[in-house]
Amino acid sequence: MAQAQRIPELPPKRGYHHGSLREALLEAARQLVAERGPQGFTLTEAARRAGVSASAPYRHFRDREEVLAELARRGFGRFAERLRQAGAGARDATEALYRMGRAYLAFAREEPGYYTAMFTFQPLGQSLGQPSGQPLGQPPGTEEQDSGGAFEELTRVVAALLPAGASNPRLVSLQVWALSHGVAMLDRAGMPSTGSATPPAEAVLEKGVTALLRRM
């Protein structure tokens, strides 16, 4: 009886390993948000850019809002680390605050996908680690979101600059953050034009923060 021929094994199908599909989809979504804004992409487009089927994203994400939520969470984590690194090694709190301001603007320029998701998806109070329903200016609870680290780092530096008995450092930090965000958004929009006599965004932010702290 002739010996049966052994059927050769087929090579494993190429594709994403477990977990890497999720990362590929998040990266595709980050690029799309940077290019088109948070409302300018669908999971189908993210799947197409990641090179997978239209149904593949639903193995990891319920909908596009869940993708945006994860982008916001990761963005705030990276953002907090940027601020910490910027303030580390500064001679004093003033230098640390100015370094953090420059890092803030740099992050907004270099990471538009994360930055847009950060300030679009989450309510600002939650983004700063503030529990829902709790007034700004009060210490957050123990279950802070990852995004609270950036605000806590800013508050620590601002508190070191304020005299004893001055305004609540968390409230002042929120004002500094609002000013930083406004300058960053104008800078991203190219306003004012580079040919104008207006100083660069970094100088505008530093002058604004200096004036704010002096009034405190």
Side-chain angles (χ1 to χ4, degrees):
M1 181 175 178
Q3 185 176 1
Q5 282 190 326
R6 181 175 179 273
I7 301 176
E9 294 182 2
L10 294 175
K13 185 177 180 181
R14 295 186 63 186
Y16 290 104
H17 296 290
H18 178 69
S20 62
L21 171 57
R22 177 182 172 86
E23 296 303 315
L25 290 168
L26 285 168
E27 175 59 21
R30 185 186 67 83
Q31 295 173 8
L32 288 166
V33 171
E35 295 167 10
R36 307 179 189 178
Q39 306 303 324
F41 86 99
T42 64
L43 283 183
T44 299
E45 288 178 302
R48 185 182 304 117
R49 183 164 293 197
V52 297
S53 68
S55 62
Y58 296 98
R59 302 174 193 170
H60 298 279
F61 301 101
R62 181 176 61 254
D63 50 32
R64 61 189 300 282
E65 281 68 32
E66 190 171 358
V67 175
L68 286 172
E70 178 62 13
L71 287 178
R73 188 191 69 79
R74 292 186 177 203
F76 270 111
R78 286 164 170 76
F79 182 59
E81 183 58 27
R82 283 276 194 103
L83 295 190
R84 278 191 286 269
Q85 290 179 358
R91 292 170 298 181
D92 52 36
T94 300
E95 181 183 352
L97 186 60
Y98 289 154
R99 284 187 180 185
M100 290 167 68
R102 291 191 288 271
Y104 190 115
L105 296 178
F107 186 89
R109 291 189 190 112
E110 296 165 8
E111 299 288 355
Y114 283 131
Y115 192 82
T116 300
M118 286 158 55
F119 291 100
T120 300
F121 181 77
Q122 294 181 308
L124 182 57
Q126 294 178 18
S127 298
L128 303 184
Q130 199 72 22
S132 176
Q134 182 171 339
L136 283 168
Q138 294 184 9
T142 56
E143 295 182 359
E144 292 187 358
Q145 297 189 21
D146 293 344
S147 51
F151 188 63
E152 294 306 317
E153 187 68 18
L154 175 61
T155 301
R156 181 186 65 79
V157 174
V158 168
L161 292 170
L162 295 177
S167 301
N168 187 319
R170 293 184 67 82
L171 180 58
V172 177
S173 299
L174 181 61
Q175 294 172 315
V176 171
W177 192 306
L179 179 58
S180 304
H181 183 64
V183 173
M185 294 302 289
L186 289 172
D187 181 58
R188 290 182 61 202
M191 300 171 60
S193 62
T194 55
S196 69
T198 305
E202 287 78 6
V204 172
L205 179 56
E206 289 182 10
K207 290 180 182 296
V209 169
T210 299
L212 174 65
L213 293 176
R214 283 177 179 170
R215 288 199 298 272
M216 296 298 104

